Amino acid sequence: MGDTPGPSEPTLEEQIAAYQREFQDLDPQVEEIVSALGRLNRRMNVAYGRQTATLGISNAEWEVLKALVLSGAPYQMGPGDLAKRLGLTPAAMTHRIDRMVGEGLVTRDRDESNRVRVIVELTAEGREKWLEAMRLATVFEEDLLQDLSQAERGVLGEVLTRLLRRVEDAQPDAGGRLTDLD
């Protein structure tokens, strides 16, 4: 194996031209929108991953912290509920929780009122990591949207939310993942 990188990703224009060459029924405007959204999502995930890495956590751990914060105080959920929320298998969720307990981000204890039930709870350190990640994300997101006026941001938000709702209505089971990312 050499040290030279593989071929670079084609521009959107090159990609659409190649698709049109091979599939004449393609609507180039639709393809531009969908391809740009896909690339933006991928690049944003990489940027967020770099930010969480500077905090000593992974994107996967960030997702658990976020789910616990979104559950509201006292920031507790069962492992099964976490797995369902994140679209993970129970085994993958257990692995993730084990790692996070070892890092002091969450605790895992038996529910005193139902000894069969396990509760995962956000620790003070986990909450601080979440807050630090939010601070970094806010700076990144403001920079990302700096060229858009408030009105454009509003329109973009509304349009993207409509697209999201359409996909969610058509694919209600698509909130999770096809494969685990751990």
Side-chain angles (χ1 to χ4, degrees), residues 133-176:
M134 288 299 291
R135 288 181 196 108
L136 291 173
T138 299
V139 171
F140 168 72
E141 292 158 0
E142 282 296 326
D143 185 57
L144 175 69
L145 299 174
Q146 70 180 331
D147 295 332
L148 300 181
S149 69
Q150 287 298 318
E152 289 172 320
R153 290 179 184 198
V155 170
L156 181 61
E158 289 172 18
V159 168
L160 291 174
T161 300
R162 280 199 334 249
L163 293 175
L164 177 61
R165 285 190 185 126
R166 180 173 297 279
V167 171
E168 288 173 341
D169 289 346
Q171 306 286 328
D173 63 339

Side-chain angles (χ1 to χ4, degrees), residues 6 66 71 94 138 156:
K66 178 175 66 172
S71 73
T94 298
T138 299
L156 181 61

Side-chain angles (χ1 to χ4, degrees), residues 9 11-12 15-16 19 28-46 48 144-145 148 155-167:
E9 185 174 35
T11 66
L12 281 177
Q15 178 179 326
I16 293 165
Y19 283 179
Q29 189 176 39
V30 170
E31 189 57 36
E32 179 181 24
I33 292 166
V34 172
S35 295
L37 285 171
R39 287 183 186 202
L40 178 62
N41 180 59
R42 191 171 65 244
R43 284 168 174 79
M44 287 177 69
N45 283 333
V46 168
Y48 289 136
L144 175 69
L145 299 174
L148 300 181
V155 170
L156 181 61
E158 289 172 18
V159 168
L160 291 174
T161 300
R162 280 199 334 249
L163 293 175
L164 177 61
R165 285 190 185 126
R166 180 173 297 279
V167 171

Side-chain angles (χ1 to χ4, degrees), residues 84-163:
K84 186 175 181 181
R85 169 113 13 122
L86 299 177
L88 298 173
T89 64
M93 191 74 252
T94 298
H95 174 71
R96 194 174 291 183
I97 292 168
D98 288 345
R99 198 171 59 229
M100 293 178 74
V101 166
E103 295 169 357
L105 301 171
V106 299
T107 59
R108 176 181 39 212
D109 293 305
R110 293 265 176 220
D111 184 343
E112 289 302 321
S113 64
N114 177 355
R115 300 291 296 160
V116 175
R117 187 170 187 263
V118 172
I119 296 176
V120 177
E121 184 174 355
L122 186 66
T123 64
E125 182 178 348
R127 181 159 169 75
E128 187 53 38
K129 291 284 185 183
W130 177 81
L131 286 168
E132 289 177 44
M134 288 299 291
R135 288 181 196 108
L136 291 173
T138 299
V139 171
F140 168 72
E141 292 158 0
E142 282 296 326
D143 185 57
L144 175 69
L145 299 174
Q146 70 180 331
D147 295 332
L148 300 181
S149 69
Q150 287 298 318
E152 289 172 320
R153 290 179 184 198
V155 170
L156 181 61
E158 289 172 18
V159 168
L160 291 174
T161 300
R162 280 199 334 249
L163 293 175

